[in-house]
């Protein structure tokens, strides 16, 4: 790996922050001892299975479970009738609103099945084979209905309706006729029409992207144990066990305090494991049977029944002056929500032009339901989709005026104070610096060969803050336990230990970081949105600072001096001045050994609702070679510069960037959901759903651009998501340079590219 860190003058050096200690979860994972959702076995545990619809769209006339219930070894059967009805209401901020009327129907279908793979009923039995047999005995009377898969077709006036009473939100006056358009969004600043009149060059283009899955290695799994006293324990492989608790409690009608959720190790998520699919079903089966129940999805279940990200249909128009000034941008973004509303189209609209200073902008978004699995988050959800369209058109603009594509982006790069399409102004820098890093990269200036091309693109993601909690315990031997509520999917245990060690001034090896269950630490929002190092890290640092104050207090007691006469430096309590007295510095270990005599346990907890997060910016370039006989694209070089604030653990940051780029390459060249004429998924497995493998990839070079966030104790910015935003456009731009063909639909697979090349 060739890794480079660009350090700005304002970056301070620390003892532990910015180092690369061995990851704390490494040994359990490489030895196979880490426990994932499907690994837990409880005494008396039975096995749950879910019956899924074979139809893309059908009305459920009746469900007969009597034969399944009578089968020897079956302990419980559930359908939607076992769950309380939910109120139809959108709860929370619009960008992340939840409607439990939809949630409960996605977990188990009620009036209709809305996609192939939609869960209909579930059984729990003494063995998996008995549970499978029981599923075959459940009789569902379906009235098969016409279906619609494509987003443009779903928006047509004569399209089959998933919901006969869905009236488009966001339009005034409200439409009187139902449609599959759940919501329309409009964002604008400036005067777009006037802006285009100022342009010397105006380019517009239509684009389409396919739905792609997060493709995590570990299928969804959970274990639930419902006790007779109404208490329920759940072990869940998810990105947020507090969210799993909240959603499960709502869906089954339980109190939050009666559910205790323990996080298992998680084998990948990328946003796809922020959704509740199994936990309420497992809990209800356990309640009915009186026994612990484990449910795990098969790989086919994952593809058919859990959320990919949206496919989209887009139109983008951009106007520039001859000197490269972007004067106007316009776009229509139509996103597939899947079977229930809630695509990331708002994110797509808000991120589309965010890296740029454009005085006149407009983005119109449509959230559209269709007979597909409900869309779920996937790494900067929405932003990679709109970036594909916008960054492709920007490349066309640069070519039209004869300007280097990086120079065009740098000229128009957003700065502190640049307005965004939603109104608020950018409060953080970092984007221009990523462009400058690539401009200085020697690879950007290397000569290309025949059938080769170079493409650049940029991306933006908000990054997150929000609610997090942490608890610190100083043990009698001087070791420190850090407990948080953030499932570790990107190295957070290492980063939490690093930040605690840095704040306390102790050796990293003496700090152990764990992820605690919902009864052992305060509420913590999901691991998602690139929020954990910023928000949970803030809680850890705050708790560490409280411990430092307590350590100084204990040292004052030991020395018999006033508390303000003690300072903490490099892991030691020291007299604040010579006037305090001549005392030998006391280490944390020495103070901890006397904790019982000086006031008892040394602990601290902290909870935050963190604000002030800084967004993520990424700029990337890649070199490709296109085989004109097959249409195969070979990635020769990929360089990704990203503003990371400050890299708490640089190896993890590099891994995040490389992982996002790999997923972007798959999204660009091969990955897609393929449906047949019946609305059934034809490629629900890794054999036919083509993810990149090692032989498809070059060594991906991350460049860490450090522009610290002043709102975090150590300058951290989220790093897990923006890296997936540029690759699709960068590759499309490189293909255009290599072949002269502008590809506007994803994936740019060999058959599609060969067909384009054959057109002459």
């Amino acid at each position: 790996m060739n890794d480079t860190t660009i350090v700005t003058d304002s970056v301070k050096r620390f003892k532990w922050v910015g180092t690369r200690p061995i990851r704390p979860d490494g040994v359990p994972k490489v030895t196979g001892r880490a426990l994932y959702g499907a690994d837990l076995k409880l005494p008396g545990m039975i096995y749950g299975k879910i019956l899924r619809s074979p139809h893309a769209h059908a009305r459920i006339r009746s469900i007969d479970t009597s034969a399944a219930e009578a089968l020897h070894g079956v302990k419980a059967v559930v359908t939607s009738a076992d769950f309380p009805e939910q109120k139809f209401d959108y709860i929370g901020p619009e960008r992340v609103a939840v409607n439990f009327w939809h949630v409960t129907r996605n977990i188990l279908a009620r009036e209709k099945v809305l996609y192939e793979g939609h869960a209909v009923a579930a059984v729990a039995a003494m063995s998996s084979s008995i549970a499978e047999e029981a599923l075959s005995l459940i009789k569902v009377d379906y009235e098969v209905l016409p279906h619609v898969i494509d987003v443009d077709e779903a928006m047509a006036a004569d399209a089959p309706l998933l919901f006969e009473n869905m009236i488009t939100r966001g339009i005034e006056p409200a439409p009187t006729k139902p449609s599959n358009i759940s919501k329309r969004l409009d964002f604008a600043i400036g005067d777009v029409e006037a802006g285009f009149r100022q342009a010397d060059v105006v380019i517009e283009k239509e684009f389409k992207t396919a739905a792609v899955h997060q493709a995590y290695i570990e299928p969804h799994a959970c274990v639930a144990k419902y006790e007779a006293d109404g208490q329920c324990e759940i072990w869940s492989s998810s990105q947020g066990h507090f969210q799993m608790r909240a959603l499960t409690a709502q869906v089954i009608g339980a109190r939050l305090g009666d559910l205790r959720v323990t996080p298992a190790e998680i084998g990948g998520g990328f946003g796809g494991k922020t959704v509740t699919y199994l936990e309420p079903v497992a809990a209800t089966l356990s309640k009915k049977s009186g026994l612990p129940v484990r449910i795990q999805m098969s790989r086919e279940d994952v593809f058919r029944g859990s959320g990919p990200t949206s496919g989209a249909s887009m139109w983008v128009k951009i106007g520039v002056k001859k000197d490269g000034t972007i004067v106007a941008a316009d776009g229509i973004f139509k996103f597939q929500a899947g079977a229930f509303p809630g695509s990331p189209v708002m994110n797509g609209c808000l991120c589309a032009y965010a890296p740029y200073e454009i005085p006149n902008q407009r983005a119109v978004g449509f959230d559209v339901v269709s007979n597909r699995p409900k869309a779920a988050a996937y790494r900067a959800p929405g932003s990679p989709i709109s970036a594909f369209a916008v960054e492709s058109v920007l490349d066309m603009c640069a070519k039209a005026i004869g300007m280097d594509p990086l120079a065009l982006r740098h000229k128009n790069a957003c700065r502190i104070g640049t307005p965004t399409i939603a109104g608020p102004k950018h409060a953080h820098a970092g984007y221009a610096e990523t462009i400058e890093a690539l401009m200085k990269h020697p690879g950007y200036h290397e000569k290309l060969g025949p059938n080769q091309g170079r493409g650049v693109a940029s991306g933006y993601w908000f990054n997150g803050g929000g609610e997090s909690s942490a608890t610190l315990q100083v043990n009698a031997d001087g070791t420190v336990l850090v407990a948080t509520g953030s499932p570790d999917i990107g190295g957070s245990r290492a980063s939490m230990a690093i930040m605690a060690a840095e704040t306390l001034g102790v050796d990293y090896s003496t700090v152990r970081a764990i992820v605690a269950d919902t009864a052992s630490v305060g509420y913590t929002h999901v691991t998602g949105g690139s929020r954990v190092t910023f928000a949970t890290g803030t809680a850890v640092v705050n708790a560490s600072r409280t411990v430092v104050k307590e350590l100084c207090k204990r040292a004052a007691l030991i020395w018999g001096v006033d508390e303000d006469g003690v300072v903490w430096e490099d892991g030691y309590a020291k007299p604040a001045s010579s006037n305090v007295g001549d005392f030998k510095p006391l280490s944390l270990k020495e103070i901890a050994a006397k904790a019982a005599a000086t006031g008892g346990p040394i602990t601290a907890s902290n909870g935050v609702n963190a604000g002030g997060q800084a967004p993520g910016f990424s700029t990337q370039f890649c070199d490709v070679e296109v085989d004109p006989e097959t249409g195969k694209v070979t990635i020769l070089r990929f360089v990704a510069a990203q503003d990371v604030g400050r890299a708490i653990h640089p190896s993890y940051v590099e891994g995040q960037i490389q992982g996002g780029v790999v997923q972007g390459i798959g999204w660009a060249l091969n990955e897609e959901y393929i449906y047949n004429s019946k609305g059934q998924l034809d490629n629900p497995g890794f054999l036919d759903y083509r993810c990149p493998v090692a032989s498809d990839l070059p060594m991906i070079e991350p460049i860490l651009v450090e522009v610290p966030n002043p709102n975090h104790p150590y300058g951290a910015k989220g790093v897990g998501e923006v890296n997936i935003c540029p690759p699709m456009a960068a590759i499309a731009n490189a293909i255009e340079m290599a072949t002269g063909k502008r590809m506007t639909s994803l994936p740019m697979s060999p058959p599609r590219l060969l067909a384009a090349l054959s057109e002459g």
Side-chain angles (χ1 to χ4, degrees):
M1 181 182 66
N2 187 2
D3 55 302
T4 304
T5 301
I6 296 178
V7 181
T8 63
D9 292 339
S10 61
V11 174
K12 178 183 176 183
R13 291 287 131 210
F14 295 97
K15 181 177 181 181
W16 293 110
V17 168
T19 64
R20 303 170 185 259
I22 294 173
R23 55 189 293 172
D25 59 330
V27 172
K29 287 180 177 175
V30 300
T31 59
R33 298 193 178 193
L35 294 177
Y36 293 85
D39 291 329
L40 184 66
K41 295 181 180 178
L42 297 178
M45 188 180 76
I46 57 178
Y47 302 87
K49 294 282 184 180
I50 293 179
L51 180 69
R52 297 182 181 275
S53 167
H55 305 295
H57 193 194
R59 199 173 310 280
I60 300 174
R61 292 193 183 106
S62 65
I63 303 176
D64 184 355
T65 61
S66 57
E69 292 168 344
L71 181 66
H72 180 72
V74 171
K75 299 300 181 181
V77 179
V78 299
T79 68
S80 61
D82 292 283
F83 295 88
E85 179 60 289
Q86 301 291 326
K87 181 181 178 182
F88 188 97
D89 188 21
Y90 289 92
I91 301 170
E94 185 61 39
R95 197 161 69 86
V96 291
V98 175
N99 189 329
F100 281 100
W101 192 91
H102 294 141
V103 171
T104 192
R105 281 163 173 76
N106 195 38
I107 290 169
L108 283 177
R110 288 187 182 243
E111 301 85 2
K112 294 199 295 185
V113 293
L114 297 172
Y115 54 95
E116 185 220 7
H118 197 163
V120 175
V123 303
M126 297 301 293
S127 69
S128 292
S129 59
I130 294 174
E132 287 281 4
E133 183 180 355
L135 291 185
S136 69
L137 297 176
I138 297 175
K139 297 178 181 178
V140 184
D141 183 10
Y142 292 109
E143 177 193 349
V144 179
L145 302 170
H147 66 275
V148 62
I149 297 294
D150 178 78
V151 64
D152 289 309
E153 293 174 1
M155 293 177 70
D158 60 349
L161 294 178
L162 276 70
F163 302 96
E164 289 79 4
N165 59 351
M166 179 178 283
I167 300 298
T168 305
R169 296 178 295 143
I171 299 178
E172 296 295 339
T176 57
K177 184 179 178 182
S179 74
N180 291 319
I181 304 171
S182 170
K183 186 172 179 64
R184 175 185 166 125
L185 301 160
D186 288 271
F187 300 97
I189 57 172
D191 186 330
V192 173
E193 284 72 22
F196 281 119
R197 288 194 293 271
Q198 300 170 25
D200 296 313
V201 173
V202 175
I203 292 178
E204 59 182 298
K205 206 76 175 174
E206 294 182 349
F207 299 86
K208 295 204 81 163
T209 68
V212 295
H213 200 274
Q214 301 85 351
Y216 31 80
I217 295 299
E218 178 206 18
H220 297 261
C222 72
V223 174
K225 182 178 71 169
Y226 221 109
E227 301 288 3
D229 63 358
Q231 301 289 304
C232 179
E233 289 189 72
I234 298 173
W235 292 261
S236 174
S237 176
S238 79
Q239 292 177 234
H241 47 301
F242 283 89
Q243 177 159 300
M244 294 303 113
R245 180 184 68 164
L247 294 174
T248 299
Q250 179 70 32
V251 170
I252 69 175
R255 299 184 302 178
L256 284 175
D258 290 337
L259 299 184
R260 180 179 183 180
V261 183
T262 299
E265 287 288 353
I266 178 170
F270 314 110
K273 287 183 180 172
T274 59
V275 183
T276 298
Y277 299 107
L278 304 179
E279 288 79 3
V281 178
T284 305
L285 286 169
S286 178
K287 185 176 183 179
K288 290 188 77 171
S289 66
L291 297 168
V293 173
R294 183 174 74 196
I295 305 179
Q296 61 189 92
M297 289 188 181
S298 67
R299 181 62 58 191
E300 285 201 4
D301 289 342
V302 171
F303 276 106
R304 296 187 195 277
S306 72
T309 194
S310 304
S313 179
M314 298 171 287
W315 167 84
V316 167
K317 177 181 178 181
I318 294 177
V320 297
K321 291 184 175 181
K322 290 179 181 178
D323 67 354
T325 303
I326 305 173
V327 291
D330 199 2
I332 297 174
F333 304 92
K334 298 175 283 189
F335 279 36
Q336 299 163 350
F340 299 95
S343 74
V345 67
M346 180 179 283
N347 294 345
C349 291
L350 297 178
C351 294
Y353 320 119
Y356 304 106
E357 183 166 356
I358 306 173
N360 308 291
Q361 307 177 26
R362 180 167 55 206
V364 178
F366 293 93
D367 184 43
V368 185
V369 296
S370 59
N371 296 115
R372 296 170 170 266
K374 166 81 173 73
Y378 182 19
R379 223 170 183 155
S383 184
I385 299 170
S386 59
F388 170 59
V390 170
E391 295 291 317
S392 294
V393 174
L394 281 177
D395 195 72
M396 298 165 72
C397 290
K399 185 176 181 181
I401 62 174
M403 192 172 188
D404 177 86
L406 281 181
L408 175 70
R409 287 165 172 80
H410 192 266
K411 181 178 180 65
N412 297 280
C414 67
R415 315 279 176 165
I416 294 175
T418 297
T420 67
I421 199 168
K425 296 179 179 180
H426 282 285
H428 297 271
Y431 176 47
E433 290 84 346
T434 67
I435 303 172
E436 292 160 6
L438 295 191
M439 286 176 160
K440 297 173 184 176
H441 193 283
Y444 187 68
H445 306 284
E446 287 188 6
K447 187 177 179 180
L448 295 167
N451 302 313
Q452 294 180 357
R454 178 169 296 137
V456 307
S458 296
Y460 169 90
W461 180 244
F462 313 99
N463 288 335
E467 297 169 281
S468 285
S469 298
T471 298
L472 260 70
Q473 302 175 29
V474 178
N475 299 314
D477 62 355
T479 57
V480 178
L481 178 69
V482 178
T484 75
S486 294
D488 183 358
I489 63 172
S492 59
R493 277 172 289 199
S495 63
M496 298 306 134
I498 285 173
M499 287 184 280
E502 190 73 54
T503 308
L504 295 170
V506 300
D507 194 273
Y508 169 83
S509 65
T510 66
V511 182
R512 183 187 178 201
I514 67 166
V515 185
D517 65 70
T518 57
S520 303
V521 71
Y523 176 81
T524 301
H525 192 46
V526 297
T527 298
S530 293
R531 60 169 295 276
V532 170
T533 304
F534 175 75
T536 306
T538 298
V540 167
V541 172
N542 289 348
S544 299
R545 289 171 173 171
T546 301
V547 165
V548 166
K549 291 180 181 178
E550 184 64 22
L551 291 168
C552 289
K553 178 180 178 182
R554 302 299 179 93
L557 287 171
I558 293 170
W559 290 334
V561 301
D562 292 337
E563 187 177 336
D564 58 7
V566 181
V567 295
W568 190 261
E569 294 179 357
D570 300 322
Y572 288 85
K574 300 177 181 179
S577 68
S578 58
N579 295 332
V580 176
D582 185 16
F583 299 105
K584 179 183 176 182
L586 287 172
S587 68
L588 180 147
K589 183 176 181 178
E590 291 170 319
I591 298 171
K594 297 181 179 181
T598 58
I602 301 174
T603 66
S605 295
N606 185 260
V608 298
N609 190 1
Q613 67 271 19
F617 295 105
S618 176
T619 305
Q620 303 170 0
F621 83 83
C622 67
D623 294 346
V624 307
E625 183 172 319
V626 179
D627 185 339
E629 295 185 356
T630 65
K632 182 182 184 296
V633 176
T634 300
I635 309 291
L636 304 174
R637 182 202 300 269
F638 214 113
V639 182
Q642 183 170 322
D643 172 23
V644 301
R646 181 177 280 110
I648 305 300
H649 190 301
S651 296
Y652 271 117
V653 174
E654 291 159 358
Q656 287 288 332
I657 294 172
Q658 290 166 326
V661 168
V662 169
Q663 290 176 315
I665 291 172
W667 200 338
L669 296 179
N670 296 107
E671 296 183 38
E672 64 178 318
Y673 267 38
I674 300 173
Y675 285 92
N676 62 27
S677 61
K678 295 182 179 180
Q680 297 166 326
L681 186 63
D682 276 346
N683 59 333
F686 286 139
L687 181 64
D688 297 309
Y689 182 89
R690 179 74 165 81
C691 289
V693 295
S695 58
D696 296 319
L697 304 165
M699 295 300 291
I700 296 163
E701 180 182 345
I703 300 177
L704 312 188
V705 178
E706 293 192 313
V707 182
N709 176 8
N711 299 319
H712 183 272
Y714 296 111
K717 297 178 182 177
V719 301
E721 296 180 81
V722 72
N723 35 67
I724 201 175
C725 299
M728 289 77 79
I731 293 169
N733 295 339
I735 289 173
E736 196 277 338
M737 182 178 180
T739 66
K741 294 293 181 182
R742 171 58 59 181
M743 301 297 290
T744 58
S745 294
L746 300 182
M748 297 173 288
S749 58
R752 288 183 180 175
L753 183 51
L754 186 60
L757 294 173
S758 300
E759 291 175 358

